[in-house]
Amino acid sequence: MGESSGSGTSSWRRAGFAGAAIGVLAAGAAAGVAVERLTVGRSVRQKARLALDATGPYGSLRGTSGRALAEDSTVLYYEVDEVEADTPPARRRRLFGRKDPAPVTVVFSHGYCLNQDSWHFQRAALRGLVRTVHWDQRSHGRSGHGVAQSGPDAVPVSIDLLGRDLRAVLDVAAPEGPLVLVGHSMGGMTVMALAEQYPEFVRDRVVGVALVGTSAGKLAEVSYGLPLAGVNAVRRVLPGVLKALGSQAELVERGRRATADLFAGLIKKYSFSSKDVDPAVARFAERMIEATPIDVVAEFYPAFAEHDKAAALAAFADMPVLALAGDNDLVTPSSHTEAIAGLLPDAELVIVPDGGHLVMLEHPEAVTDRLADLLVRAGAVPGQGQGPGPATVRTDARKS
């Protein structure tokens, strides 16, 4: 009896530690982060989270739903927002001046441990003005768990596989017409993988690309703002730890719930840079990340170390490109976005001050305005002539 009780306590303790570790991993970081102690009572914080969940409007936008089948029969969920003829003129002028959007489909790809709702602000701004597609990557959001990652013959997730998933979605959700591809973090890598595997498709269909808070490779060198010794130690043990945690998903999920306060603090640290980020936005990000099961976190993590798509960027050389990042992104540092722009000399490089990894949620207006500029440069919105060529911009981080 006593031994059984001790074993249960030990299991719960392990679950708590596992949950704390996954809080870091799910935010795209590594273990060993020091988190300040919270001074507000736990019950008060729990009530605050429930209140934010009940009143927060973020992630509430829905479109016409559809499903595409990946090569392994995984069901990929997407939604389409069509152009609306009765959109208020003031909204058009806000983004595009006096011009009307031309027929184009803007396709948004989200990042690791997120879902299509991470583009909430940009979706709201473009809604009805431009045809948009928002999809959930395999094993994320409303998409099915990867079939190839299930069962005894499971194969690892690869960024190349995600690129083929994107092609499957495009073939169904946007089978014709010009495309503007927008990708954040893992979503940007997915766009690069599409370009590498389907260069003719990109040449024929894609008229513009936005790569937000992403990387073309060398992610194994990212320090996540941690001391070098700590990062090296984590890298040695992390693959084995993730594999073990992925095999004990139920226990780990209990641990994540038990360490919700630590989890929230880590998400805020690794998602945002601003001190005054809207608590409802921070909670929204937390909900998306905590909804990603531990086995999915474990399945996807190894793919990032292998990611190398610098050569694939050449497919975007002859089209307008936006390369944007927050200046304090600890997950995919802005230096990686600068490296992308360095390989695409005509790209517009935008570094958003006081911006973290989830810059599109933290500084939505700054990101949305640059996307609108990209649509103009891509010819998606007829212009009266080209302005100054692309340049490096350190933009004001205005909030909507």
Side-chain angles (χ1 to χ4, degrees):
M1 182 79 169
E3 182 176 349
S4 175
S5 175
S7 176
T9 301
S10 177
S11 295
W12 181 254
R13 185 178 297 112
R14 288 198 304 274
F17 291 145
I22 295 308
V24 183
L25 297 170
V33 179
V35 178
E36 294 181 0
R37 296 183 63 181
L38 302 175
T39 58
V40 182
R42 174 174 292 180
S43 63
V44 174
R45 292 194 299 273
Q46 290 175 337
K47 290 178 181 178
R49 281 195 289 269
L50 290 174
L52 291 172
D53 289 347
T55 60
Y58 310 122
S60 60
L61 301 177
R62 299 270 66 91
T64 302
S65 62
R67 288 163 178 79
L69 282 182
E71 61 185 32
D72 63 351
S73 298
T74 297
V75 177
L76 303 171
Y77 178 85
Y78 67 85
E79 293 181 359
V80 178
D81 291 343
E82 300 287 356
V83 175
E84 299 173 2
D86 58 350
T87 304
R91 290 191 54 222
R92 290 189 178 90
R93 289 196 299 271
R94 166 64 185 83
L95 284 178
F96 305 115
R98 297 180 180 275
K99 305 305 175 182
D100 293 325
V104 65
T105 299
V106 186
V107 183
F108 289 85
S109 299
H110 68 79
Y112 180 45
C113 296
L114 300 172
N115 60 51
Q116 63 177 268
D117 293 339
S118 61
W119 295 106
H120 175 87
F121 291 105
Q122 292 69 43
R123 183 174 189 171
L126 294 175
R127 196 172 177 85
L129 300 176
V130 180
R131 187 176 193 268
T132 59
V133 172
H134 303 262
W135 69 294
D136 292 329
Q137 302 253 22
R138 65 172 52 223
S139 304
H140 290 70
R142 293 174 173 82
S143 285
H145 186 272
V147 172
Q149 286 73 57
S150 304
D153 298 323
V155 298
V157 173
S158 68
I159 301 298
D160 286 344
L161 175 59
L162 303 184
R164 297 194 293 274
D165 285 352
L166 174 55
R167 176 63 190 271
V169 171
L170 294 174
D171 285 347
V172 177
E176 58 185 12
L179 301 170
V180 172
L181 305 179
V182 183
H184 167 250
S185 193
M186 182 178 75
M189 302 173 203
T190 300
V191 170
M192 297 176 207
L194 174 82
E196 183 177 66
Q197 297 172 92
Y198 305 104
E200 293 184 3
F201 176 87
V202 170
R203 183 172 59 250
D204 293 342
R205 297 282 311 279
V206 179
V207 297
V209 174
L211 302 172
V212 179
T214 190
S215 172
K218 299 185 178 180
L219 286 168
E221 299 176 5
V222 176
S223 70
Y224 304 107
L226 301 176
L228 181 61
V231 172
N232 289 338
V234 167
R235 286 179 181 144
R236 285 195 298 271
V237 303
L238 195 51
V241 170
L242 271 177
K243 184 176 181 179
L245 294 178
S247 67
Q248 302 181 56
E250 182 178 352
L251 179 65
V252 175
E253 295 302 334
R254 289 164 57 197
R256 289 173 72 173
R257 292 191 293 272
T259 56
D261 291 336
L262 174 61
F263 188 70
L266 290 169
I267 289 176
K268 187 173 182 180
K269 177 179 178 66
Y270 282 91
S271 298
F272 307 107
S273 176
S274 307
K275 300 298 183 184
D276 60 345
V277 63
D278 182 349
V281 170
R283 175 56 187 158
F284 173 48
E286 182 185 348
R287 287 205 320 271
M288 283 190 288
I289 295 172
E290 69 186 5
T292 308
I294 175 56
D295 55 338
V296 175
V297 177
E299 287 167 3
F300 277 69
Y301 183 79
F304 301 115
E306 301 172 359
H307 170 62
D308 181 1
K309 291 289 181 285
L313 294 172
F316 307 137
D318 296 326
M319 67 182 70
V321 175
L322 168 65
L324 183 148
D327 68 344
N328 195 32
D329 188 333
L330 298 178
V331 179
T332 50
S334 58
S335 59
H336 286 235
T337 295
E338 292 170 351
I340 289 172
L343 294 171
L344 296 169
D346 292 331
E348 180 184 26
L349 172 63
V350 177
I351 305 299
V352 180
D354 201 20
H357 188 56
L358 300 188
V359 64
M360 69 283 192
L361 290 174
E362 185 175 20
H363 300 297
E365 190 169 304
V367 175
T368 301
D369 285 349
R370 292 301 173 181
L371 285 178
D373 291 343
L374 174 68
L375 292 177
V376 173
R377 291 197 293 124
V381 180
Q384 294 180 328
Q386 298 295 325
T392 298
V393 179
R394 192 164 290 271
T395 183
D396 291 333
R398 295 168 291 166
K399 296 182 180 179
S400 64

